[in-house]
Amino acid sequence: MNYFRYQEYLEVYGLGRKLFAGYVLVSLGMLLAAAGGSWDITNHLLNKPETFFAPPHAVLYSGAASAVVGTVLVFFASKSGGRSAGRMIWPVKLVIAGVVMLISAAPVDFGWHSAFGLDGLFSPPHFVLVSGMVVGSAGALAGLAQSTKRLPSVLIVIAILPIWLGASGMIDMLSLPFSETEYFNFNPHPTLGVVVATLAFPFLISACLIGSSALAGKRFGVLSMAGAAFIIIGILTSIIPNSALTPTIPFYLSSIIPIVAADALLAFSRSRFSLYAAGTIVSLAFFMLYYPLITYTYNEVFESKVVWPSMIAQIYFEMIQNVFPLVAFPTAAMGILGALLIDRLARNKKYYNNIQQLS
Amino acid sequence: MLKAIILTAAVAVALVVYFSLSLYVFPQSYQSIEAQRPQAIVTDVRLSAPDIVLGQALTISVTGTNNGEDADMQIVSVGFPNLTTTDNIKILKHDFDQTPILIAPGELLSSEYSDTADSSVLAQYASIEAFNRPWEAGKTYTAEIEVIPKTEGRFVVFIKSVALPHTWEQAHYPQDGTVDQQKEFVETYPVQVTKP
């Protein structure tokens, strides 16, 4: 056994330490902002009275502040860098673009509220904000991946989660029926919402989880840690705030089983079949991993009930046996596509050339 | 080869356990959990006077409570079957978390304690809905409303409270009495309006 393969170490190249710290702060900030956003959506669903100083807002703004500080660090480190820093310019550009989008969405959102009152989940400023999260997080992940020979497991999880959560937020915007206001109806057609959710969520889960495994050199544990972190954030931000859902925590926690199974497949077998199987397995858990919000999307087509917050679990568990067999095939196909995309990226010759040059 | 067989078997067993739990065991167990049972009640109604002179304002204070489990929403409704506009109704003060809303004739209302769109009816007269989302167990809220009757004679005020989702009989108040435009029970409070 090659023990070295299982040993985590951090080697930051040249004067990339400041850059590295900046990327970490950006990833952490985006993670906090995305988790705060998820918590805020839950509180809106529960109609909890809201002030500027509400706890979810505090988490969201702390995350935005961390991302801004990280971006400033990244910017100055890249400016003062020599040859090695110059090579990292595109992740820096992505980070700056993402954080500028994130920050600029705030005054636009204020203007939107002033003009049109209450807004829904999908509004132009919200779209810019979530796009900024995804772009900035992708930049930070790319920067981190280029800064070190091998990222520590925890950093892989911290870097991949904001992309996963941000992209999930984007899919939520395009699939959940939460965007009808007095002036605009941005709600998707119910069937379109179901199609978007059925195709996009499995692809995203597969790409993010298998991506985390690829970044870790397929060593066992990292994919499971990323999945566990996603589940914990879901419990903290979407389930615990709604007391009617707390009995369903064991159900939600059980989704760690296919995630660990996929992790084991990738870690202990390097065949292409294992890659496809892992993509299929994690993607099939999408209907469970996106509980409870996904209830609203599928209810529009399958149940057409009024989804009161206290009735979410009842409606979800009434339809799960009907929905799952119908979505299983496209879900598995999208899971395999996600796995193939990551495999393609990992095999990208240019990527390997960059790593070799950095070495 | 043996390693591959063991790995495949372990993954297969894990998946069988997972999908059995997710698709059969948990759904069965969670569907047997009973829905929350809020108990809506109007605990206090005060009218400023039993008789008023035409043009004079009538003040109504209504207090509602949830004596059961948490409700996602509970409404205290004050209806004015003699009024076809909302322009002479004012909310003086309230301690509800959300702002009470005025319902004008022609607006869509749900009926028969149902929350589905196919049970909607058109409002025939003016009313006010004071509500809390959510309305926690044991909490009490009060609203004070001012209304100026437009004609002399008998002026009637309808009062009721409904908790949603309407999971059992005690989720509405009163349990019997007059039936309003929404085919729901109300308490009636008549006031005599006399010539100035």
Side-chain angles (χ1 to χ4, degrees):
Chain A
M1 179 184 278
N2 180 3
Y3 291 104
F4 181 74
R5 192 168 145 266
Y6 294 89
Q7 187 186 337
E8 288 193 348
Y9 62 95
L10 181 61
E11 188 182 319
V12 181
Y13 296 101
L15 37 81
R17 281 184 185 279
K18 213 186 269 179
L19 199 61
F20 186 83
Y23 287 136
V24 172
L25 276 176
V26 170
S27 282
L28 266 176
M30 295 295 190
L31 177 56
L32 277 177
S38 170
W39 188 6
D40 197 39
I41 291 173
T42 306
N43 277 4
H44 276 282
L45 284 178
L46 297 170
N47 290 286
K48 289 191 176 170
E50 181 177 69
T51 65
F52 181 78
F53 299 102
H57 289 183
V59 174
L60 203 155
Y61 297 131
S62 307
S66 166
V68 170
V69 172
T71 306
V72 171
L73 269 180
V74 164
F75 178 73
F76 285 110
S78 68
K79 281 278 176 192
S80 61
R83 206 173 131 262
S84 64
R87 227 184 282 148
M88 296 173 199
I89 195 69
W90 70 269
V92 173
K93 279 179 179 171
L94 278 181
V95 164
I96 293 171
V99 172
V100 166
M101 287 164 83
L102 182 81
I103 301 303
S104 62
V108 179
D109 196 42
F110 180 79
W112 187 268
H113 277 283
S114 305
F116 305 115
L118 281 176
D119 56 0
L121 179 61
F122 184 24
S123 68
H126 288 181
F127 188 79
V128 173
L129 186 142
V130 178
S131 303
M133 276 184 195
V134 176
V135 170
S137 308
L141 173 66
L144 283 171
Q146 288 189 2
S147 303
T148 64
K149 209 172 242 178
R150 178 170 288 171
L151 277 174
S153 307
V154 174
L155 275 186
I156 294 173
V157 174
I158 288 174
I160 209 101
L161 269 179
I163 301 176
W164 190 356
L165 292 172
S168 297
M170 189 79 80
I171 299 165
D172 280 337
M173 278 186 188
L174 300 172
S175 60
L176 283 166
F178 295 165
S179 306
E180 186 177 355
T181 59
E182 193 183 343
Y183 292 95
F184 302 101
N185 183 6
F186 291 137
N187 276 350
H189 185 279
T191 310
L192 180 66
V194 163
V195 170
V196 169
T198 305
L199 299 181
F201 280 135
F203 179 84
L204 180 66
I205 293 172
S206 174
C208 288
L209 286 178
I210 292 175
S212 66
S213 172
L215 280 167
K218 296 196 174 177
R219 66 180 181 273
F220 182 75
V222 178
L223 189 156
S224 302
M225 278 170 61
F230 183 87
I231 289 172
I232 289 167
I233 289 172
I235 289 174
L236 291 176
T237 62
S238 301
I239 297 182
I240 287 178
N242 182 352
S243 60
L245 298 182
T246 47
T248 63
I249 289 175
F251 158 78
Y252 195 68
L253 274 175
S254 72
S255 288
I256 196 66
I257 296 172
I259 290 170
V260 174
D263 196 2
L265 264 182
L266 288 174
F268 303 118
S269 164
R270 300 296 160 105
S271 70
R272 286 195 78 73
F273 175 78
S274 294
L275 179 75
Y276 300 148
T280 304
I281 290 168
V282 292
S283 65
L284 283 174
F286 96 95
F287 196 72
M288 297 73 163
L289 279 172
Y290 284 94
Y291 167 82
L293 273 187
I294 206 164
T295 309
Y296 289 87
T297 303
Y298 287 79
N299 169 69
E300 293 270 295
V301 171
F302 290 89
E303 298 282 331
S304 299
K305 290 181 177 172
V306 176
V307 188
W308 293 101
S310 69
M311 303 294 281
I312 291 173
Q314 194 179 324
I315 294 171
Y316 176 84
F317 289 109
E318 267 173 22
M319 67 180 171
I320 189 170
Q321 289 175 349
N322 298 328
V323 171
F324 191 81
L326 291 175
V327 300
F329 182 75
T331 295
M334 294 310 290
I336 291 171
L337 265 183
L340 281 172
L341 171 80
I342 295 300
D343 189 51
R344 182 75 183 263
L345 286 175
R347 285 167 186 269
N348 188 309
K349 198 166 180 283
K350 195 178 170 186
Y351 172 79
Y352 279 113
N353 284 346
N354 281 343
I355 294 292
Q356 278 163 7
Q357 281 169 18
L358 285 167
S359 305
Chain B
M1 186 63 186
L2 181 65
K3 192 180 135 190
I5 292 170
I6 293 170
L7 180 63
T8 309
V11 167
V13 169
L15 293 181
V16 168
V17 169
Y18 172 65
F19 286 112
S20 304
L21 283 173
S22 301
L23 298 176
Y24 297 100
V25 178
F26 283 124
Q28 295 293 327
S29 108
Y30 292 139
Q31 280 184 67
S32 62
I33 295 175
E34 278 196 22
Q36 290 178 343
R37 292 179 156 204
Q39 188 182 359
I41 187 162
V42 175
T43 49
D44 191 32
V45 178
R46 288 176 198 194
L47 273 61
S48 56
D51 304 297
I52 56 168
V53 176
L54 187 61
Q56 189 188 341
L58 171 71
T59 307
I60 306 151
S61 170
V62 193
T63 302
T65 300
N66 174 8
N67 275 346
E69 296 171 332
D70 290 351
D72 287 314
M73 182 181 189
Q74 188 174 320
I75 301 164
V76 172
S77 165
V78 181
F80 305 102
N82 301 80
L83 295 180
T84 51
T85 61
T86 56
D87 51 6
N88 46 352
I89 306 170
K90 244 193 323 197
I91 298 149
L92 296 178
K93 58 180 180 181
H94 71 89
D95 59 4
F96 287 81
D97 289 337
Q98 284 89 12
T99 307
I101 52 170
L102 288 166
I103 310 281
E107 287 185 33
L108 273 179
L109 294 169
S110 58
S111 70
E112 297 177 83
Y113 308 114
S114 168
D115 50 22
T116 55
D118 50 358
S119 66
S120 296
V121 293
L122 288 177
Q124 305 294 313
Y125 52 80
S127 61
I128 282 186
E129 286 188 350
F131 59 96
N132 241 56
R133 295 183 75 166
W135 190 315
E136 289 167 15
K139 289 278 177 78
T140 297
Y141 299 95
T142 302
E144 205 171 290
I145 296 149
E146 183 188 89
V147 58
I148 303 172
K150 284 186 168 174
T151 53
E152 57 189 289
R154 193 169 182 260
F155 183 80
V156 177
V157 179
F158 284 168
I159 290 178
K160 67 179 175 183
S161 183
V162 180
L164 296 165
H166 190 266
T167 50
W168 67 319
E169 284 302 298
Q170 300 286 323
H172 62 260
Y173 178 91
Q175 294 298 303
D176 51 30
T178 306
V179 172
D180 69 359
Q181 58 185 353
Q182 293 168 271
K183 297 175 195 161
E184 295 172 355
F185 293 121
V186 289
E187 282 182 341
T188 58
Y189 292 86
V191 174
Q192 201 59 39
V193 182
T194 54
K195 273 186 182 174

